[in-house]
Structure formats: C-alpha cells, structure tokens
Amino acid sequence: MRILKFIGVFLGTLLAVFFIVFGFNLDALKTLYNNSGDLQEGQEWVSKATSLKGLTQYIGSNPQHTTIVSRSVANPDTTIAYGADKPRTMGTLSNFFLITTYARLVENEIDPDELISLDKTDRFLLPYIDESHHDDAKSALQNRDVITDDGKVPLNELLQIAIIYNDLAISDFLYYKFGQKAIE
C-alpha cells in the first residue's frame, strides 16, 4: 500500500512539474523533441569548454566552427584575430537591432542629446552577469567626461558605450526605452 502511495505522489509531482515547465503549450516540448539531435551535437564539449584549457582544445578540434577576435579600444595594436574573415552570428547581435532602431528613431522621434540617468541603467544590471562590462562602460563614460553632475548621460553616448563595451544593462535599458514594437 505504501508503494502505491509513493508511486501516486511521484506521478502527481512529475505531472505538476511537467505542466509548470511546459504549461499547456506543448510547442516547446515539440521543438525540444524535433531538435534533440542538434541539441546533443557537441554536448561533450559543454563541460570541457568552461575552462581555458577545454576551450583551447575545442578550438583546436573544431577550427571550422571558431572565430576569435579580441580588439582593445585603448590599444588597437594589440588586436588578436583568428578566422576573422568568416562571417558568423555574434552573441551580441541584438546590439545591431538597437543601432538600426536608434538610427530610425533619431530622425524624428527621439532626441540623441536627451539626458539619461545612469541610475535607470543600473536597474537592469543582473548580479554576477557581466558586471565588469557595466563598470567598464561607466568608467569610459566618466573618462569621456560626458556624465553630468547629476549622473546623466546623453542618449547617443549611452548607445555608443553600450555597444563598445557590450554592456547588457545599458542594452536592456535601451531596448525598453526604444520599445519592442519599434525594434520589431
């Protein structure tokens, strides 16, 4: 009798978790099932590539899938490029959409010199997620001497620095500032 209770509770919990994860929209489950082969491709490298040694082993084993470009804004002579001539989708492709939306909106809807409080961008900073990029971006703004006494920055400077330093907090702020409809 105890085993039946255990199995019943286990199955009930399993169903509850299933509906919490996938809800009543089974498209996610169908997509997961249809792409399971693609998701498994390269899975042996996931745990290995978290270290520098594992990452270099992956690059050595899969040079056809690798592009490395390291460029310093302060010292452009220290650029490192490996496979830079091959076009690839970058992880920060979303910045491209921000730039094009900004260019379109700046023509008649927004003022590029509008002052934005850095406190508003700080709200979008996720703890332990690229905090150093945000700190570097704010330092660069300070070095450019574009921060006003009350902690505000012109919109055009904010956009430039978000892209140069890949600052996710500023990018997220700009996403909501421009609006999802404008970006789409």
Side-chain angles (χ1 to χ4, degrees), residues 69-80 133 136-137 139-141 143-144 160-166:
V69 177
S70 175
R71 184 168 291 139
S72 171
V73 176
N75 299 320
D77 295 343
T78 61
T79 298
I80 299 171
H133 293 279
D136 291 344
S139 295
L141 287 168
N143 292 340
R144 288 183 178 190
Q160 285 179 13
I161 218 72
I163 290 159
I164 292 170
Y165 287 90
N166 191 28

Side-chain angles (χ1 to χ4, degrees), residues 18-53:
F18 177 83
F19 282 113
I20 289 171
V21 172
F22 295 107
F24 294 101
N25 182 358
L26 297 179
D27 288 341
L29 185 60
K30 189 187 306 181
T31 301
L32 184 65
Y33 178 75
N34 290 340
N35 295 311
S36 63
D38 294 335
L39 291 171
Q40 291 175 358
E41 180 183 340
Q43 73 179 359
E44 70 275 4
W45 289 106
V46 172
S47 61
K48 294 178 187 175
T50 57
S51 70
L52 188 57
K53 179 181 177 185

Side-chain angles (χ1 to χ4, degrees), residues 118 122 125 129-143 147 161 165-170:
L118 283 177
D122 291 346
L125 181 63
I129 307 293
D130 290 333
E131 281 185 86
S132 64
H133 293 279
H134 189 62
D135 293 339
D136 291 344
K138 287 170 58 173
S139 295
L141 287 168
Q142 208 165 25
N143 292 340
I147 302 176
I161 218 72
Y165 287 90
N166 191 28
D167 187 344
L168 298 178
I170 295 175

Side-chain angles (χ1 to χ4, degrees), residues 40-138:
Q40 291 175 358
E41 180 183 340
Q43 73 179 359
E44 70 275 4
W45 289 106
V46 172
S47 61
K48 294 178 187 175
T50 57
S51 70
L52 188 57
K53 179 181 177 185
L55 184 60
T56 54
Q57 287 174 342
Y58 173 80
I59 292 169
S61 298
N62 300 286
Q64 71 278 11
H65 298 304
T66 307
T67 295
I68 300 171
V69 177
S70 175
R71 184 168 291 139
S72 171
V73 176
N75 299 320
D77 295 343
T78 61
T79 298
I80 299 171
Y82 174 78
D85 57 330
K86 295 177 184 154
R88 300 190 191 275
T89 303
M90 294 174 38
T92 57
L93 190 60
S94 62
N95 284 339
F96 174 74
F97 298 115
L98 288 175
I99 293 168
T100 55
T101 303
Y102 172 80
R104 195 170 25 80
L105 293 177
V106 81
E107 290 176 356
N108 53 5
E109 291 184 42
I110 60 173
D111 177 16
D113 297 320
E114 175 188 354
L115 293 176
I116 306 293
S117 173
L118 283 177
D119 290 339
K120 289 183 178 179
T121 65
D122 291 346
R123 287 188 221 151
F124 289 89
L125 181 63
L126 297 173
Y128 311 112
I129 307 293
D130 290 333
E131 281 185 86
S132 64
H133 293 279
H134 189 62
D135 293 339
D136 291 344
K138 287 170 58 173

